[in-house]
């Protein structure tokens, strides 16, 4: 389970750090999974949390089934995520069924929000910021317009999705 990342708004402020953590860190994890396969001969399940940032700007609110392939990320975060997805898919598809090394699994998450965890640099941080400020009875000026649309998932639902995809037999 590779969960480390520099999130979108922090990635925009420091693209070099973002690429180092998001891409180089993922490559290190892929290499470790391949080494585990060589040492023990087991197919290694590898979970990578991606992001809807891979789609780039879109006026659509829903994607059709095959639009998952139409990606043109405009942010360094989205570009990093898509690059790592493509490497994971390539590693997953390397070889035949008898000599596969990595069982790559990925979910493109929307913004993940939690009422318990403080925001850390994601595009969707304004929602938990509003929750935490409201609980503290502190005024919050939201930087998005009332017409903005950004999908979210709660932390418990994201965790359940990860568990389900990892338990699914291929």
């Amino acid at each position: 389970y590779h969960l480390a990342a520099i999130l979108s708004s922090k990635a925009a402020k420091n693209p070099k750090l973002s690429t180092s953590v998001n891409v180089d860190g993922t490559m290190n994890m892929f290499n470790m999974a391949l080494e585990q396969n060589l040492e023990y001969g087991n197919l290694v399940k590898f979970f990578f949390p991606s992001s809807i940032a891979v789609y780039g700007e879109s006026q659509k609110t829903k994607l059709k089934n095959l639009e998952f392939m139409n990606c043109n990320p405009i942010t360094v975060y989205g570009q990093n995520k898509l690059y790592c997805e493509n490497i994971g898919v390539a590693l997953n598809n390397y070889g035949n069924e008898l000599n596969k090394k990595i069982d790559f699994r990925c979910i493109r998450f929307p913004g993940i929000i939690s009422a318990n965890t403080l925001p850390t640099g994601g595009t969707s941080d304004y929602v938990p910021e509003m929750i935490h400020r409201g609980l503290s009875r502190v005024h919050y000026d939201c930087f998005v317009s009332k017409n903005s649309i950004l999908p979210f998932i709660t932390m418990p639902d994201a965790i359940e999705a990860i568990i389900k995809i990892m338990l699914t037999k291929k």
Side-chain angles (χ1 to χ4, degrees), residues 17 78 98 168:
L17 176 65
L98 297 176
T168 300

Side-chain angles (χ1 to χ4, degrees), residues 39 44 47 87 101-102:
E39 187 169 341
V44 177
F47 177 74
I87 298 295
K101 313 258 185 285
I102 294 178

Side-chain angles (χ1 to χ4, degrees), residues 23 123-124 153:
V23 175
T123 303
S124 56
I153 187 170

Side-chain angles (χ1 to χ4, degrees), residues 90-167:
L91 289 170
N92 188 75
N93 293 332
Y94 178 76
N96 59 39
E97 287 302 316
L98 297 176
N99 69 358
K100 287 206 179 282
K101 313 258 185 285
I102 294 178
D103 179 357
F104 180 74
R105 296 168 185 225
C106 177
I107 299 174
R108 287 181 179 164
F109 284 114
I112 301 174
I113 59 173
S114 170
N116 302 321
T117 305
L118 293 174
T120 61
T123 303
S124 56
D125 283 354
Y126 66 92
V127 173
E129 285 172 356
M130 285 191 287
I131 292 169
H132 289 281
R133 297 277 180 89
L135 290 171
S136 302
R137 300 188 191 283
V138 175
H139 178 77
Y140 180 77
D141 288 320
C142 188
F143 59 89
V144 296
S145 75
K146 64 180 181 180
N147 297 328
S148 295
I149 298 173
L150 185 61
F152 299 103
I153 187 170
T154 63
M155 186 63 75
D157 290 338
I159 292 168
E160 182 180 353
I162 294 169
I163 291 168
K164 284 182 176 180
I165 199 170
M166 293 306 282
L167 291 175

Side-chain angles (χ1 to χ4, degrees), residues 6 9 15 26 28 37 40 49 63 69 91 105-106 114 119 129 140 167:
I6 301 295
S9 54
T26 303
N28 288 340
N37 175 270
Y40 300 106
L63 292 171
M69 299 171 63
L91 289 170
R105 296 168 185 225
C106 177
S114 170
E129 285 172 356
Y140 180 77
L167 291 175

